[in-house]
Amino acid sequence: MDVVSLSRMQFGLTTAFHILFPTLTIGLAVYLVIVEALWLRTKKEIYYRMYRFWVKIFAVNFAVGVVSGIILEFEFGMNFARFSEAVGNVLGPLFAYEGMTAFFLEAGFLGIMLFGWKRVPRSIHFISTCLVAFGAGLSGFWIMAANSWMQTPAGFVMENGKFMVTDFREVIFNPAMPTHLVHMLISSYETAAFVIAGISSFFLLRKRNEDFYRKSLGLA
């Protein structure tokens, strides 16, 4: 096969692997916000244990999603160098915004989520969980802005074979952006709900820790 076909296959395989993890991360972050809010409101220990259990799965997904996402960005430049050179003025800033806003926000407060118990007040821990969930959604916003722009490019002019930005607002909020973003967020919430429900159902069928997994399943 030719190099272009091989490059597309590699990029498609990497994307198919990568998207599983941020999708679950975005949805699971919202689930954790709800669980911690219920714990703070009801003071029931089961919600605390639910949070401590599901946040471990969140952390693993977050880590694998970050690493596989970095590989994708390398493949943009290595597999499709001419394309990256042409659209760098458009997609480069969008990826940079995702890193400097969403990823830094998530990474900055993830440590408090995982290790902040008994080290920070409960309110600060809950705010950290909310900020991580917001950062996960914001990450989806920037990536969907870049993805949708490739489907319906806007806000640019061509100069010497390169896409030069004329209006970043049009670049970000291009015609396909709203539907792409809504689709991504809803699919993320559905993915998290089904994963939690599936794991909980598995352990319920095995009659292990039934109260815990029945509550997790019900909330999902």
Side-chain angles (χ1 to χ4, degrees), residues 145-177:
N147 181 277
S148 60
W149 183 87
M150 290 190 286
Q151 316 305 317
T152 55
F156 70 94
V157 294
M158 292 291 294
E159 292 183 6
N160 300 320
K162 294 185 178 181
F163 292 77
M164 307 301 292
V165 176
T166 57
D167 189 337
F168 260 115
R169 184 173 59 182
E170 291 185 12
V171 169
I172 296 169
F173 299 101
N174 60 80
M177 169 60 173

Side-chain angles (χ1 to χ4, degrees), residues 32-114:
L32 290 172
V33 170
I34 296 172
V35 169
E36 187 167 10
L38 288 171
W39 175 61
L40 291 173
R41 181 178 178 182
T42 65
K43 303 297 188 295
K44 292 182 179 179
E45 183 190 3
I46 189 169
Y47 291 119
Y48 173 78
R49 292 193 292 114
M50 284 170 59
Y51 186 99
R52 297 301 296 267
F53 175 80
W54 294 110
V55 78
K56 296 176 183 177
I57 298 176
F58 173 86
V60 172
N61 274 272
F62 179 84
V64 178
V66 169
V67 173
S68 56
I70 292 173
I71 295 173
L72 271 178
E73 294 195 1
F74 271 102
E75 289 182 5
F76 260 112
M78 298 175 70
N79 294 22
F80 308 104
R82 292 288 298 276
F83 172 77
S84 297
E85 183 181 7
V87 302
N89 293 308
V90 178
L91 296 186
L94 297 182
F95 289 138
Y97 295 153
E98 192 269 341
M100 291 188 296
T101 59
F103 175 71
F104 282 7
L105 186 63
E106 291 176 274
F109 288 94
L110 181 64
I112 299 177
M113 279 182 65
L114 297 176

Side-chain angles (χ1 to χ4, degrees), residues 54 191-204 213 216-218 220:
W54 294 110
T191 298
F194 274 101
V195 168
I196 295 166
I199 294 173
S200 301
S201 299
F202 175 81
F203 285 108
L204 282 173
Y213 290 109
S216 296
L217 174 62

